[in-house]
Amino acid sequence: MSKVGVYKSDITPPLGTDFIGYHRPCGIRNIDERIYSTAFVFEHHHDKSVFISIDNIGMLIEDTSVIRKRIAAKLDVPYEKITVVFTHTHSGPATVSSSERVNEYKTVLIENTVVAAVKAHERMQPSEVGWNVTLGDIGVNRREETAEGRVKMGTNKKGVVDKRIGILAIRHQQDQTLSGAIVFCTAHPNVLKSDSDCLSGDYPGETRRILEPALGCPVIIVQGAAGNVNARYRGSRNALKNMAYALSASVLGMIPAILFQGIFKLQTPSTIMPIKLINIPEPEGIKKMARAAEEQWGVGTSKWLAHMLGKFELDERQISIDLEIQSFQVNEGSFSGIPMEPFSEAALEIQDRLHSPLAFFGGYTNGYLGYLPTKEAYPYGGYEVELNPVVYGPVTSLWMPPAEDTSQKVVHKVLELHNHKEVEKCFETNQSVRDVGKK
């Protein structure tokens, strides 16, 4: 018996709450749209998995862990079978601050998210699910190369973008009406910028405004490997609508061709992989990184600088952290995620190695640390490679960029989580899956 339950819980903060995503001198002054935590509970032969989307740029791993632990206790579902993804809106409320208002809001957000999971569990009904995928142009590669052989934030028309737009739709078995939809796409939700004082789910929220009345059910937008991909349209309300029109048109076009069936596979494997960070440089190198962040992003770096210099003095130049990699798998499709912002190249490699356009990979999953560039991106530097740890390291504890081979190791681990026999064979023979498939 296949069952699915869905519930949407309001997590709109009070006016005055701080923003996160772009610096604004003021807090939230207006509410363009309310924001939500939406929970899906899947059951197959008494095995359950919980999939939750939260309208936020991304909470810390420890705060996300609180949500997962409370849901696990409430529903008697293993912690590792609970997936929490963040839409990554850049016009949402902060959850990390010394502000009493922000901490009070975080408490409400956590409570309402747990409530969403409990109520989704209570509403489980016999259901069928179906996948579909298409291509769309909603994102642009943002790592623009300069004449000096570096990169800056801009538009790289030749750069890689994962253009897939996918959907996992759920319908009631009895009357065949839709009960929920999970949409997968790749483009930073940073359409609205620092000149906006409105709370907004950005284009994922605007897309929901179109899709939910049209489909008659809750819809969530799951972000892919958008670490190097910006929204195609940016900077205005019209741009927000253009993004939403483009994405919703692709989704609505897929609905008629979806083939629904009962759940025959429901797995949520998870693993912890230790990853090394780049060695802390000499003091002059540390200071150079701090100056670059201050000059290019206008941020204070004193806390990061003091911490790094202290590590160097203690001869603790090698730092490693634990990274959770989780794969939510339903029938023939999957979404694998990490608490980082991977580049699109990694997602496309996973799709290629698994021979499946329904194998999605993304970030903002079970917390947030920082960026995960590909090895090929490191020589070009730029914000995602060099500066993000300086800007956010004191908050996320990603003090230095990951070692250059980390992205490839994550890709291999995702492939292992899929238990793909050809992939396992490739690890032994050092062949590509594409080559194996040709034999």
Side-chain angles (χ1 to χ4, degrees):
M1 175 69 73
S2 305
K3 292 184 179 181
V4 183
V6 187
Y7 191 83
K8 185 175 174 182
S9 185
D10 197 310
I11 55 168
T12 303
L15 293 176
T17 305
D18 292 341
F19 278 108
I20 184 67
Y22 284 111
H23 173 70
R24 280 104 161 174
C26 62
I28 297 168
R29 289 183 174 176
N30 296 285
I31 296 177
D32 178 59
E33 61 180 316
R34 304 189 74 79
I35 59 174
Y36 300 90
S37 289
T38 306
F40 290 70
V41 179
F42 295 80
E43 181 179 271
H44 172 57
H45 291 166
H46 305 292
D47 189 15
K48 297 175 185 175
S49 291
V50 181
F51 196 94
I52 298 173
S53 172
I54 299 177
D55 287 331
N56 194 270
I57 197 168
M59 299 172 70
L60 294 180
I61 291 173
E62 52 261 41
D63 292 330
T64 312
S65 181
V66 170
I67 293 172
R68 297 170 73 191
K69 287 177 180 177
R70 291 188 184 179
I71 292 172
K74 289 279 188 179
L75 303 185
D76 192 26
V77 174
Y79 173 91
E80 64 273 12
K81 292 191 175 184
I82 299 168
T83 306
V84 178
V85 297
F86 298 92
T87 59
H88 202 57
T89 172
H90 282 49
S91 293
T95 59
V96 180
S97 174
S98 58
S99 162
E100 183 176 347
R101 186 197 299 265
V102 168
N103 286 312
E104 288 176 353
Y105 168 69
K106 182 172 70 174
T107 298
V108 172
L109 185 161
I110 290 173
E111 290 175 352
N112 286 358
T113 301
V114 175
V115 166
V118 171
K119 290 187 176 294
H121 185 264
E122 293 171 351
R123 285 162 172 73
M124 283 196 303
Q125 296 184 38
S127 302
E128 298 174 323
V129 301
W131 288 86
N132 205 349
V133 64
T134 187
L135 298 178
D137 286 317
I138 65 168
V140 293
N141 190 292
R142 69 187 195 180
R143 285 177 59 82
E144 181 178 334
E145 295 184 21
T146 67
E148 294 78 22
R150 304 286 288 173
V151 298
K152 64 178 181 179
M153 284 284 189
T155 299
N156 181 357
K157 293 182 180 180
K158 296 181 180 180
V160 173
V161 176
D162 184 356
K163 294 185 176 183
R164 288 176 297 163
I165 296 172
I167 184 172
L168 170 60
I170 302 99
R171 73 179 185 187
H172 298 299
Q173 190 176 65
Q174 185 173 6
D175 61 14
Q176 298 192 342
T177 58
L178 291 176
S179 60
I182 302 176
V183 174
F184 304 89
C185 64
T186 302
H188 250 77
N190 58 359
V191 176
L192 298 181
K193 299 185 180 181
S194 57
D195 58 351
S196 171
D197 62 2
C198 294
L199 175 75
S200 172
D202 207 83
Y203 80 82
E206 192 73 16
T207 302
R208 286 197 310 249
R209 285 181 172 181
I210 299 172
L211 291 179
E212 290 188 342
L215 301 180
C217 66
V219 175
I220 63 173
I221 312 297
V222 179
Q223 195 57 239
N228 56 347
V229 180
N230 267 350
R232 178 169 292 278
Y233 308 102
R234 298 181 66 202
S236 67
R237 288 287 312 166
N238 282 337
L240 200 64
K241 290 180 180 179
N242 286 338
M243 285 292 294
Y245 291 153
L247 179 54
S248 58
S250 293
V251 173
L252 292 172
M254 289 189 285
I255 297 294
I258 294 175
L259 299 177
F260 289 90
Q261 57 188 321
I263 297 175
F264 58 81
K265 175 184 178 182
L266 178 63
Q267 297 177 353
T268 316
S270 175
T271 188
I272 302 295
M273 185 181 82
I275 64 171
K276 293 181 180 179
L277 306 186
I278 288 178
N279 284 351
I280 297 171
E282 299 287 332
E284 186 52 44
I286 296 172
K287 294 174 184 177
K288 182 179 179 181
M289 291 178 66
R291 285 195 302 270
E294 290 173 354
E295 293 168 2
Q296 297 182 39
W297 292 91
V299 296
T301 62
S302 58
K303 187 173 181 179
W304 180 87
L305 183 61
H307 185 83
M308 291 293 97
L309 290 174
K311 286 281 188 182
F312 183 86
E313 290 175 3
L314 294 171
D315 198 26
E316 297 177 359
R317 300 181 63 180
Q318 177 64 69
I319 307 173
S320 63
I321 60 174
D322 287 336
L323 181 71
E324 181 181 10
I325 305 169
Q326 188 186 47
S327 184
F328 172 73
Q329 304 171 13
V330 179
N331 289 2
E332 72 272 29
S334 66
F335 172 78
S336 302
I338 58 174
M340 302 187 78
E341 302 191 54
F343 281 20
S344 274
E345 289 88 340
L348 293 173
E349 181 177 357
I350 289 169
Q351 170 204 284
D352 185 51
R353 298 281 296 273
L354 291 175
H355 301 297
S356 172
L358 294 176
F360 296 96
F361 173 63
Y364 325 106
T365 303
N366 297 325
Y368 181 81
L369 282 169
Y371 285 85
L372 181 60
T374 58
K375 182 178 181 179
E376 292 75 15
Y378 278 74
Y380 297 94
Y383 173 71
E384 300 90 350
V385 173
E386 299 170 328
L387 302 183
N388 179 263
V390 184
V391 176
Y392 289 107
V395 177
T396 66
S397 296
L398 188 75
W399 293 97
M400 289 291 291
E404 293 185 8
D405 62 349
T406 304
S407 180
Q408 194 60 42
K409 288 181 177 179
V410 169
V411 167
H412 287 172
K413 191 60 68 174
V414 169
L415 298 175
E416 287 180 354
L417 290 177
H418 280 78
N419 293 320
H420 198 279
K421 293 183 179 179
E422 287 189 346
V423 170
E424 292 172 359
K425 182 178 179 180
C426 289
F427 290 159
E428 298 173 1
T429 62
N430 197 29
Q431 294 174 297
S432 71
V433 170
R434 178 180 294 173
D435 291 337
V436 171
K438 291 178 179 178
K439 292 182 178 180

